[in-house]
Amino acid sequence: MVEVKHYKRTAKKSFSEVMTDYPAAHPNAPIVLVNYGPIGDILNCIPLSAKARCVTVEHLTVLNRRAREEFRDLVRKVIGRPVRAALEFGGTTRAKRAVAVDVSRSMAPVLSDPRFSSALAATAVAPHASEIFPIDRRVHTAVSVEQAVERLHSIQGDINALEAPVTELLGTYEEVIVLTDGLNDLSTLRSASEEFAAGSCFRVTVRRPEST
């Protein structure tokens, strides 16, 4: 159970009431109170029996990465990691492959290379998904093939740490084609690589591990 507040200042009485009433109404649920501004130490004001299920996240704003990641982790503890639905072609055939492009900082020269843009458009067609997943240390929002060149340039990439986002995509797709300028991050995954776009980067095909 999540209660969202938009107060610029702490409201101890109001916040304490939330953390008292919600645990009583939902005796088996974890309770999270988030606020745009500060919350303060209110957990000492609630019944001891409910305290173990109550968490607060203050200063939850777009610019506060720490708070956003803390809230994300709390949600994932309850519902798990998000699963992206594979696309369908013609309403019948489910896509088994996805295309992901490394947008970390080192890829900036590659993304500006016209050879890369042409090669990317040729790669992201059926039977591959018609969307492209930008990745660095996480999976960004998918972009369409038509918008890919412009949108990939606009993403302010983070560090190159591709194993986690590729593993996340493999939760939905049997195979992920990764376009990247480095191979070390994917060395622990079952993959095969080749030069791509006239040698400007690598095309790495990563396959989901077979069930045992």
Side-chain angles (χ1 to χ4, degrees):
M1 177 65 65
V2 178
E3 174 71 6
V4 180
K5 298 294 187 182
H6 302 275
Y7 298 175
K8 291 184 178 180
R9 298 180 179 84
T10 187
K12 188 172 183 178
K13 182 176 183 297
S14 175
F15 293 165
S16 298
E17 289 175 351
V18 168
M19 299 305 255
T20 300
D21 295 343
Y22 278 31
H26 305 277
N28 298 316
I31 310 298
V32 182
L33 171 66
V34 303
N35 187 40
Y36 174 86
I39 293 177
D41 185 12
I42 65 165
L43 296 183
N44 290 331
C45 303
I46 67 175
L48 186 62
S49 59
K51 188 179 296 186
R53 294 188 288 118
C54 295
V55 181
T56 63
V57 180
E58 57 186 5
H59 303 294
L60 183 60
T61 66
V62 173
L63 298 179
N64 191 338
R65 172 176 287 184
R66 183 201 61 78
R68 288 190 288 111
E69 291 181 347
E70 181 182 358
F71 180 65
R72 177 201 63 193
D73 292 342
L74 288 169
V75 172
R76 286 183 175 177
K77 284 181 181 179
V78 177
I79 65 174
R81 299 181 66 85
V83 176
R84 298 176 183 273
L87 301 178
E88 295 184 357
F89 293 96
T92 56
T93 305
R94 183 170 293 278
K96 296 182 179 181
R97 300 178 180 88
V99 176
V101 176
D102 179 1
V103 292
S104 57
R105 297 168 192 148
S106 63
M107 278 286 288
V110 176
L111 298 177
S112 301
D113 191 330
R115 296 172 300 176
F116 176 82
S117 301
S118 299
L120 175 62
T123 296
V125 296
H128 308 310
S130 59
E131 290 182 312
I132 294 172
F133 294 94
I135 59 174
D136 40 36
R137 66 187 184 99
R138 65 185 179 91
V139 180
H140 294 260
T141 302
V143 300
S144 67
V145 177
E146 294 76 14
Q147 297 176 319
V149 174
E150 178 182 352
R151 295 289 297 277
L152 292 173
H153 278 294
S154 68
I155 297 173
Q156 296 182 351
D158 206 329
I159 60 173
N160 183 310
L162 305 183
E163 182 177 351
V166 171
T167 300
E168 180 178 332
L169 289 172
L170 288 173
T172 298
Y173 299 94
E174 295 180 7
E175 185 176 278
V176 179
I177 295 175
V178 184
L179 307 179
T180 178
D181 61 344
L183 301 177
N184 290 340
D185 277 355
L186 302 175
S187 60
T188 61
L189 300 176
R190 181 186 172 198
S191 62
S193 62
E194 59 183 313
E195 288 191 352
F196 182 73
S200 62
C201 67
F202 296 96
R203 167 180 164 146
V204 185
T205 302
V206 185
R207 296 178 179 84
R208 182 190 298 169
E210 296 180 0
S211 301
T212 55

XYZ file of all heavy atoms in Angstrom, residues 13-103:
702
model
N 1.515 15.249 12.106
C 0.223 14.698 12.527
C -0.436 13.925 11.389
O -0.888 12.790 11.563
C -0.693 15.823 13.002
C -2.056 15.350 13.509
C -2.865 16.524 14.044
C -4.197 16.052 14.632
N -5.070 15.425 13.616
N -0.483 14.529 10.203
C -1.109 13.888 9.051
C -0.368 12.616 8.656
O -0.980 11.574 8.394
C -1.145 14.862 7.870
O -1.636 14.230 6.710
N 0.956 12.688 8.624
C 1.751 11.528 8.234
C 1.601 10.395 9.255
O 1.515 9.219 8.892
C 3.221 11.918 8.098
C 3.508 12.864 6.956
C 4.714 13.547 6.905
C 2.584 13.068 5.946
C 4.993 14.412 5.858
C 2.849 13.936 4.897
C 4.056 14.615 4.852
N 1.576 10.746 10.527
C 1.435 9.729 11.571
C 0.082 9.031 11.482
O -0.023 7.819 11.711
C 1.607 10.367 12.953
O 2.899 10.923 13.102
N -0.946 9.791 11.124
C -2.279 9.195 10.976
C -2.296 8.183 9.831
O -2.915 7.119 9.938
C -3.313 10.292 10.736
C -3.591 11.138 11.974
C -4.523 12.299 11.678
O -4.804 12.543 10.474
O -4.970 12.966 12.634
N -1.620 8.521 8.735
C -1.533 7.587 7.609
C -0.885 6.285 8.053
O -1.376 5.184 7.770
C -0.723 8.208 6.449
C -0.380 7.145 5.402
C -1.505 9.342 5.809
N 0.225 6.407 8.782
C 0.985 5.229 9.178
C 0.359 4.498 10.359
O 0.857 3.455 10.785
C 2.421 5.632 9.506
C 3.149 6.250 8.324
S 3.143 5.188 6.861
C 4.822 4.590 6.877
N -0.715 5.029 10.883
C -1.488 4.328 11.910
C -2.726 3.680 11.305
O -3.029 2.513 11.572
C -1.915 5.302 13.025
O -0.752 5.868 13.629
C -2.728 4.578 14.091
N -3.438 4.432 10.451
C -4.691 3.941 9.873
C -4.468 2.851 8.824
O -5.190 1.850 8.792
C -5.468 5.099 9.243
C -5.920 6.125 10.276
O -5.914 5.785 11.474
O -6.260 7.258 9.879
N -3.480 3.037 7.953
C -3.277 2.073 6.868
C -2.876 0.689 7.371
O -3.407 -0.319 6.907
C -2.245 2.608 5.874
C -2.809 3.572 4.860
C -3.882 4.401 5.175
C -2.278 3.668 3.581
C -4.397 5.295 4.254
C -2.796 4.556 2.644
C -3.858 5.368 2.990
O -4.373 6.242 2.073
N -1.931 0.581 8.309
C -1.602 -0.752 8.825
C -2.794 -1.436 9.490
O -2.936 -2.663 9.409
C -0.487 -0.476 9.834
C 0.129 0.798 9.377
C -1.013 1.604 8.842
N -3.656 -0.646 10.127
C -4.834 -1.232 10.763
C -5.827 -1.736 9.722
O -6.453 -2.788 9.895
C -5.499 -0.196 11.670
N -5.970 -0.994 8.626
C -6.919 -1.377 7.579
C -6.385 -2.496 6.697
O -7.160 -3.249 6.098
C -7.261 -0.159 6.723
N -5.057 -2.602 6.608
C -4.428 -3.621 5.750
C -3.394 -4.378 6.579
O -2.188 -4.134 6.468
C -3.780 -2.955 4.539
C -4.717 -2.091 3.748
N -5.572 -2.594 2.795
C -4.950 -0.748 3.797
C -6.279 -1.604 2.271
N -5.926 -0.480 2.861
N -3.839 -5.301 7.403
C -2.959 -5.922 8.407
C -1.838 -6.787 7.848
O -0.900 -7.106 8.578
C -3.934 -6.765 9.240
C -5.112 -6.991 8.357
C -5.231 -5.764 7.517
N -1.910 -7.154 6.572
C -0.870 -8.010 6.002
C -0.008 -7.306 4.958
O 0.875 -7.924 4.364
C -1.500 -9.248 5.356
C -2.233 -10.109 6.362
O -1.733 -10.357 7.453
N -3.435 -10.550 6.003
N -0.275 -6.031 4.725
C 0.400 -5.323 3.638
C 1.531 -4.441 4.147
O 1.411 -3.812 5.199
C -0.602 -4.462 2.876
N 2.634 -4.366 3.381
C 3.651 -3.354 3.681
C 3.098 -1.976 3.329
O 2.363 -1.828 2.350
C 4.823 -3.737 2.774
C 4.230 -4.573 1.692
C 3.020 -5.235 2.257
N 3.443 -0.971 4.112
C 2.921 0.383 3.923
C 4.085 1.318 3.604
O 5.086 1.351 4.331
C 2.199 0.893 5.187
C 1.173 -0.137 5.684
C 1.550 2.240 4.913
C 0.062 -0.446 4.715
N 3.942 2.080 2.520
C 4.980 3.028 2.121
C 4.359 4.421 2.024
O 3.366 4.613 1.319
C 5.611 2.653 0.766
C 6.720 3.645 0.404
C 6.163 1.235 0.794
N 4.947 5.369 2.726
C 4.537 6.768 2.632
C 5.634 7.532 1.903
O 6.790 7.519 2.324
C 4.332 7.363 4.024
C 4.118 8.885 4.079
C 2.809 9.277 3.397
C 4.143 9.383 5.524
N 5.279 8.165 0.787
C 6.255 8.967 0.050
C 5.776 10.410 0.018
O 4.578 10.682 0.020
C 6.468 8.434 -1.389
C 6.914 6.985 -1.370
C 5.209 8.576 -2.230
N 6.738 11.330 -0.025
C 6.380 12.747 -0.038
C 7.339 13.527 -0.921
O 8.529 13.204 -1.019
C 6.414 13.320 1.383
C 5.886 14.752 1.431
O 4.903 15.077 0.766
N 6.537 15.609 2.208
N 6.807 14.565 -1.546
C 7.616 15.467 -2.371
C 8.698 16.151 -1.538
O 9.826 16.328 -1.981
C 6.699 16.508 -3.007
C 7.415 17.594 -3.765
C 7.774 17.418 -5.100
C 7.720 18.806 -3.147
C 8.433 18.417 -5.794
C 8.374 19.811 -3.836
C 8.730 19.616 -5.163
O 9.381 20.609 -5.845
N 8.343 16.523 -0.332
C 9.279 17.196 0.567
C 9.713 16.283 1.698
O 9.681 15.061 1.574
N 10.105 16.852 2.834
C 10.575 16.038 3.958
C 9.426 15.332 4.673
O 8.274 15.755 4.594
C 11.244 17.070 4.876
C 10.531 18.350 4.571
C 10.207 18.303 3.104
N 9.765 14.261 5.348
C 8.792 13.539 6.175
C 9.195 13.599 7.642
O 8.375 13.843 8.510
C 8.662 12.071 5.720
C 8.029 12.002 4.325
C 7.819 11.272 6.722
C 7.917 10.607 3.760
N 10.457 13.385 7.903
C 10.923 13.401 9.286
C 10.766 12.045 9.949
O 10.302 11.072 9.349
N 11.130 11.984 11.207
C 11.097 10.735 11.959
C 9.715 10.553 12.579
O 9.464 10.965 13.711
C 12.182 10.747 13.042
C 12.274 9.418 13.767
O 11.670 8.440 13.273
O 12.936 9.357 14.819
N 8.814 9.943 11.808
C 7.448 9.746 12.312
C 7.191 8.311 12.744
O 6.170 8.026 13.367
C 6.401 10.135 11.247
C 6.507 9.194 10.042
C 6.557 11.579 10.832
C 5.315 9.267 9.124
N 8.100 7.399 12.424
C 7.845 5.988 12.719
C 7.818 5.715 14.218
O 7.227 4.724 14.657
C 8.893 5.112 12.033
C 8.874 5.150 10.495
C 9.903 4.185 9.920
C 7.481 4.818 9.950
N 8.449 6.591 14.997
C 8.395 6.423 16.450
C 7.036 6.801 17.024
O 6.769 6.561 18.207
C 9.481 7.267 17.124
C 10.869 6.712 16.859
O 11.042 5.511 16.677
N 11.858 7.597 16.823
N 6.182 7.391 16.163
C 4.865 7.835 16.631
C 3.764 6.819 16.332
O 2.595 7.071 16.638
C 4.506 9.172 15.981
S 5.709 10.487 16.263
N 4.116 5.712 15.706
C 3.090 4.741 15.326
C 3.206 3.505 16.205
O 4.240 3.272 16.845
C 3.217 4.356 13.837
C 4.522 3.586 13.584
C 3.160 5.600 12.960
C 4.646 3.081 12.160
N 2.158 2.691 16.261
C 2.187 1.496 17.111
C 3.350 0.571 16.756
O 3.674 0.385 15.581
C 0.839 0.832 16.816
C -0.039 1.946 16.364
C 0.846 2.884 15.615
N 3.959 0.000 17.762
C 5.109 -0.873 17.562
C 4.763 -2.064 16.679
O 5.581 -2.521 15.881
C 5.627 -1.357 18.919
C 6.918 -2.183 18.908
C 8.065 -1.350 18.353
C 7.248 -2.670 20.316
N 3.532 -2.550 16.776
C 3.118 -3.722 16.000
C 3.098 -3.449 14.499
O 3.191 -4.375 13.694
C 1.728 -4.179 16.449
O 0.781 -3.127 16.276
N 2.971 -2.178 14.107
C 2.899 -1.826 12.687
C 4.225 -1.338 12.133
O 4.412 -1.301 10.918
C 1.840 -0.745 12.477
N 5.138 -0.974 13.000
C 6.368 -0.308 12.563
C 7.187 -1.149 11.584
O 7.780 -0.618 10.634
C 7.213 0.057 13.779
C 8.421 0.921 13.444
C 9.223 1.280 14.681
C 8.418 2.124 15.635
N 9.245 2.602 16.771
N 7.209 -2.456 11.769
C 8.029 -3.319 10.917
C 7.553 -3.326 9.467
O 8.321 -3.640 8.557
C 8.033 -4.745 11.467
N 6.281 -2.965 9.245
C 5.732 -2.980 7.885
C 5.702 -1.597 7.248
O 5.234 -1.451 6.120
C 4.306 -3.546 7.897
C 4.225 -5.007 8.278
C 2.821 -5.563 8.086
N 1.873 -5.061 9.072
C 0.798 -4.338 8.786
N 0.538 -4.002 7.538
N -0.024 -3.934 9.740
N 6.191 -0.591 7.949
C 6.064 0.785 7.473
C 7.417 1.359 7.052
O 8.414 1.201 7.754
C 5.454 1.662 8.562
S 3.750 1.222 8.972
N 7.421 2.032 5.908
C 8.631 2.655 5.377
C 8.260 4.032 4.844
O 7.159 4.226 4.320
C 9.247 1.819 4.234
C 10.517 2.474 3.706
C 9.535 0.404 4.694
N 9.174 4.983 4.967
C 8.952 6.314 4.401
C 10.041 6.634 3.384
O 11.188 6.212 3.533
C 8.958 7.397 5.495
O 10.250 7.437 6.119
C 7.896 7.126 6.541
N 9.654 7.365 2.344
C 10.607 7.858 1.343
C 10.318 9.343 1.152
O 9.261 9.712 0.635
C 10.471 7.117 0.000
C 11.486 7.665 -1.007
C 10.656 5.612 0.182
N 11.238 10.181 1.570
C 11.024 11.619 1.450
C 11.805 12.201 0.281
O 12.686 11.547 -0.283
C 11.415 12.322 2.756
C 12.843 12.082 3.198
C 13.128 12.678 4.576
O 12.194 13.193 5.225
O 14.296 12.624 5.000
N 11.423 13.408 -0.107
C 12.071 14.117 -1.220
C 12.031 13.289 -2.512
O 13.019 13.223 -3.249
C 13.517 14.473 -0.869
C 13.656 15.301 0.366
N 13.181 16.594 0.458
C 14.195 15.006 1.589
C 13.428 17.076 1.669
N 14.035 16.136 2.377
N 10.882 12.667 -2.777
C 10.741 11.861 -3.990
C 10.384 12.786 -5.154
O 9.233 13.160 -5.347
C 9.664 10.794 -3.807
C 9.467 9.839 -4.992
C 10.755 9.084 -5.293
C 8.331 8.862 -4.729
N 11.401 13.155 -5.913
C 11.228 14.046 -7.058
C 11.951 13.469 -8.262
O 12.756 12.535 -8.140
C 11.792 15.448 -6.764
O 13.219 15.344 -6.602
C 11.184 16.039 -5.500
N 11.692 14.039 -9.413
C 12.327 13.570 -10.647
C 13.844 13.671 -10.559
O 14.574 12.808 -11.063
C 11.809 14.391 -11.847
C 12.580 14.044 -13.106
C 10.320 14.142 -12.056
N 14.345 14.706 -9.909
C 15.782 14.947 -9.874
C 16.501 14.178 -8.767
O 17.732 14.158 -8.740
C 16.054 16.447 -9.708
C 15.538 17.345 -10.837
C 15.850 18.805 -10.532
C 16.141 16.941 -12.171
N 15.762 13.559 -7.873
C 16.383 12.859 -6.746
C 16.499 11.370 -7.066
O 15.599 10.579 -6.786
C 15.556 13.069 -5.475
C 16.290 12.583 -4.230
O 17.197 11.753 -4.306
N 15.892 13.097 -3.079
N 17.618 10.997 -7.669
C 17.798 9.605 -8.096
C 17.796 8.655 -6.906
O 17.235 7.562 -6.979
C 19.096 9.452 -8.889
C 19.433 7.995 -9.205
C 20.662 7.848 -10.070
N 20.392 8.236 -11.436
C 21.286 8.126 -12.418
N 22.485 7.662 -12.165
N 20.971 8.481 -13.647
N 18.430 9.047 -5.802
C 18.505 8.157 -4.647
C 17.112 7.787 -4.155
O 16.820 6.619 -3.895
C 19.294 8.823 -3.512
C 19.476 7.918 -2.288
C 19.784 8.727 -1.044
N 18.721 9.654 -0.717
C 17.588 9.288 -0.131
N 17.357 8.025 0.174
N 16.659 10.193 0.135
N 16.234 8.791 -4.039
C 14.874 8.525 -3.565
C 14.098 7.683 -4.571
O 13.342 6.782 -4.189
C 14.147 9.843 -3.299
N 14.277 7.966 -5.857
C 13.570 7.189 -6.877
C 14.005 5.730 -6.856
O 13.182 4.814 -6.979
C 13.811 7.803 -8.261
C 13.077 9.121 -8.475
C 13.138 9.593 -9.919
N 14.459 10.066 -10.286
C 15.281 9.459 -11.123
N 14.921 8.315 -11.681
N 16.457 9.981 -11.418
N 15.301 5.500 -6.712
C 15.795 4.129 -6.684
C 15.350 3.407 -5.416
O 15.052 2.206 -5.447
C 17.317 4.126 -6.814
C 17.797 4.560 -8.194
C 19.307 4.520 -8.327
O 19.994 4.403 -7.284
O 19.805 4.610 -9.469
N 15.301 4.134 -4.304
C 14.823 3.534 -3.058
C 13.365 3.103 -3.201
O 12.983 1.991 -2.807
C 14.959 4.537 -1.910
C 14.506 3.990 -0.561
C 14.609 5.021 0.554
O 15.074 6.155 0.278
O 14.214 4.697 1.694
N 12.535 3.975 -3.792
C 11.126 3.644 -3.986
C 10.968 2.489 -4.974
O 10.164 1.572 -4.759
C 10.371 4.877 -4.483
C 8.903 4.636 -4.711
C 8.064 4.325 -3.655
C 8.368 4.709 -5.985
C 6.708 4.093 -3.856
C 7.019 4.483 -6.203
C 6.189 4.176 -5.133
N 11.748 2.512 -6.051
C 11.704 1.419 -7.029
C 12.011 0.083 -6.370
O 11.321 -0.919 -6.606
C 12.717 1.690 -8.143
C 12.820 0.583 -9.202
C 14.141 0.659 -9.931
N 15.260 0.437 -9.025
C 16.529 0.687 -9.336
N 16.834 1.202 -10.511
N 17.493 0.436 -8.466
N 13.043 0.050 -5.531
C 13.429 -1.204 -4.881
C 12.343 -1.697 -3.927
O 12.111 -2.914 -3.810
C 14.748 -1.018 -4.127
C 15.929 -0.794 -5.064
O 15.800 -1.109 -6.260
O 16.973 -0.301 -4.599
N 11.672 -0.775 -3.254
C 10.581 -1.168 -2.357
C 9.438 -1.810 -3.135
O 8.864 -2.820 -2.710
C 10.070 0.057 -1.591
C 10.990 0.620 -0.507
C 10.471 1.971 -0.022
C 11.109 -0.355 0.664
N 9.113 -1.232 -4.285
C 8.033 -1.783 -5.109
C 8.420 -3.151 -5.655
O 7.622 -4.096 -5.659
C 7.689 -0.812 -6.253
C 6.701 -1.452 -7.228
C 7.115 0.486 -5.702
N 9.667 -3.286 -6.097
C 10.098 -4.558 -6.680
C 10.143 -5.688 -5.663
O 10.009 -6.857 -6.021
C 11.468 -4.384 -7.339
C 11.398 -3.623 -8.658
C 12.749 -3.522 -9.327
N 12.633 -2.886 -10.632
C 13.666 -2.606 -11.421
N 14.894 -2.919 -11.034
N 13.473 -2.030 -12.589
N 10.332 -5.356 -4.399
C 10.308 -6.394 -3.368
C 8.943 -7.058 -3.286
O 8.827 -8.221 -2.894
C 10.666 -5.789 -2.007
C 12.142 -5.494 -1.817
C 12.402 -4.928 -0.430
C 13.877 -4.611 -0.223
N 14.128 -4.027 1.128
N 7.906 -6.309 -3.661
C 6.540 -6.821 -3.557
C 6.062 -7.441 -4.866
O 5.516 -8.546 -4.887
C 5.571 -5.698 -3.130
C 4.134 -6.206 -3.083
C 5.983 -5.145 -1.769
N 6.274 -6.741 -5.989
C 5.704 -7.211 -7.262
C 6.744 -7.752 -8.228
O 6.400 -8.258 -9.292
C 4.902 -6.095 -7.954
C 5.823 -4.938 -8.363
C 3.788 -5.601 -7.057
C 5.109 -3.871 -9.176
N 8.029 -7.657 -7.872
C 9.068 -8.174 -8.750
C 9.473 -7.169 -9.814
O 8.942 -6.062 -9.898
N 10.422 -7.565 -10.644
C 10.918 -6.697 -11.706
C 9.901 -6.616 -12.837
O 9.140 -7.564 -13.076
C 12.254 -7.222 -12.254
C 13.362 -7.269 -11.205
C 14.646 -7.779 -11.812
N 15.169 -6.855 -12.794
C 15.946 -5.813 -12.513
N 16.287 -5.565 -11.260
N 16.392 -5.016 -13.457
N 9.865 -5.503 -13.569
C 8.913 -5.384 -14.679
C 9.247 -6.356 -15.798
O 10.409 -6.665 -16.054
C 9.087 -3.930 -15.142
C 10.461 -3.554 -14.697
C 10.693 -4.298 -13.409
N 8.223 -6.861 -16.456
C 8.392 -7.768 -17.590
C 7.824 -7.094 -18.820
O 6.663 -6.683 -18.836
C 7.668 -9.107 -17.352
C 7.782 -9.993 -18.585
C 8.241 -9.801 -16.135
N 8.641 -6.944 -19.833
C 8.195 -6.299 -21.060
C 7.528 -7.335 -21.966
O 8.106 -8.374 -22.259
C 9.379 -5.665 -21.803
C 10.057 -4.571 -20.997
C 11.266 -4.049 -21.734
N 11.965 -3.052 -20.937
C 11.678 -1.764 -20.938
N 10.713 -1.318 -21.695
N 12.350 -0.921 -20.181
N 6.325 -7.033 -22.417
C 5.621 -7.957 -23.298
C 6.267 -7.945 -24.672
O 6.541 -6.890 -25.239
C 4.155 -7.550 -23.411
N 6.531 -9.128 -25.220
C 7.098 -9.211 -26.556
C 6.077 -8.730 -27.576
O 4.873 -8.890 -27.403
C 7.501 -10.656 -26.860
N 6.559 -8.114 -28.640
C 5.667 -7.591 -29.663
C 5.129 -8.710 -30.542
O 5.666 -9.808 -30.580
C 6.424 -6.581 -30.534
C 7.008 -5.386 -29.790
C 7.774 -4.513 -30.766
C 5.903 -4.586 -29.136
N 4.068 -8.416 -31.271
C 3.497 -9.368 -32.201
C 3.522 -8.784 -33.602
O 3.380 -7.581 -33.794
C 2.059 -9.723 -31.812
C 1.954 -10.445 -30.480
C 0.538 -10.863 -30.174
O -0.344 -10.524 -30.991
O 0.315 -11.515 -29.147
N 3.699 -9.633 -34.601
C 3.680 -9.213 -35.991
C 2.484 -9.866 -36.667
O 2.302 -11.082 -36.601
C 4.975 -9.627 -36.709
C 6.187 -8.906 -36.191
C 6.996 -9.486 -35.236
C 6.494 -7.639 -36.629
C 8.104 -8.823 -34.749
C 7.597 -6.967 -36.138
C 8.406 -7.560 -35.201
N 1.660 -9.058 -37.319
C 0.495 -9.594 -38.001
C -0.520 -10.190 -37.052
O -1.405 -10.928 -37.458
N -0.405 -9.888 -35.768
C -1.377 -10.362 -34.801
C -1.214 -11.811 -34.406
O -1.969 -12.327 -33.596
N -0.221 -12.513 -34.962
C -0.111 -13.939 -34.674
C 1.271 -14.352 -34.190
O 1.399 -15.112 -33.249
C -0.445 -14.764 -35.928
O 0.409 -14.354 -36.999
C -1.898 -14.555 -36.334
N 2.321 -13.864 -34.810
C 3.668 -14.332 -34.503
C 4.310 -13.474 -33.428
O 4.460 -12.272 -33.603
C 4.555 -14.309 -35.766
O 3.925 -15.066 -36.784
C 5.927 -14.897 -35.453
N 4.680 -14.078 -32.339
C 5.312 -13.343 -31.247
C 6.809 -13.204 -31.514
O 7.493 -14.158 -31.858
C 5.087 -14.072 -29.924
C 5.651 -13.314 -28.728
C 5.195 -13.929 -27.429
N 3.769 -13.759 -27.240
C 3.209 -12.650 -26.770
N 3.952 -11.616 -26.448
N 1.912 -12.569 -26.626
N 7.315 -11.985 -31.367
C 8.733 -11.736 -31.600
C 9.572 -12.472 -30.567
O 9.293 -12.419 -29.378
C 9.021 -10.244 -31.532
N 10.592 -13.164 -31.021
C 11.466 -13.905 -30.124
C 12.791 -13.183 -29.908
O 13.575 -13.589 -29.062
C 11.729 -15.301 -30.689
C 10.476 -16.170 -30.779
C 10.811 -17.557 -31.298
C 9.563 -18.434 -31.353
N 9.875 -19.801 -31.848
N 13.023 -12.126 -30.684
C 14.291 -11.412 -30.598
C 14.042 -9.929 -30.343
O 13.010 -9.393 -30.715
C 15.092 -11.582 -31.893
C 15.424 -13.019 -32.235
C 16.165 -13.090 -33.559
N 16.496 -14.460 -33.925
C 15.693 -15.258 -34.617
N 14.508 -14.813 -35.012
N 16.066 -16.485 -34.916
N 15.010 -9.299 -29.717
C 14.955 -7.856 -29.492
C 16.285 -7.247 -29.911
O 17.314 -7.925 -29.917
C 14.680 -7.550 -28.022
N 16.245 -5.974 -30.256
C 17.458 -5.234 -30.611
C 17.709 -4.193 -29.530
O 16.814 -3.415 -29.184
C 17.316 -4.547 -31.980
C 18.548 -3.691 -32.280
C 17.115 -5.587 -33.076
N 18.922 -4.194 -28.983
C 19.301 -3.237 -27.944
C 20.546 -2.485 -28.393
O 21.468 -3.078 -28.957
C 19.563 -3.956 -26.621
N 20.568 -1.186 -28.138
C 21.709 -0.350 -28.529
C 22.349 0.243 -27.284
O 21.673 0.867 -26.456
C 21.273 0.781 -29.481
C 22.457 1.696 -29.799
C 20.698 0.202 -30.765
N 23.639 0.039 -27.154
C 24.420 0.612 -26.060
C 24.467 2.136 -26.235
O 24.924 2.632 -27.264
C 25.827 0.012 -26.111
C 26.754 0.546 -25.031
O 26.316 1.372 -24.212
O 27.928 0.123 -25.022
N 23.958 2.873 -25.247
C 23.977 4.340 -25.323
C 24.885 4.937 -24.249
O 24.734 6.101 -23.880
C 22.551 4.930 -25.202
C 21.718 4.583 -26.411
C 21.867 4.473 -23.912
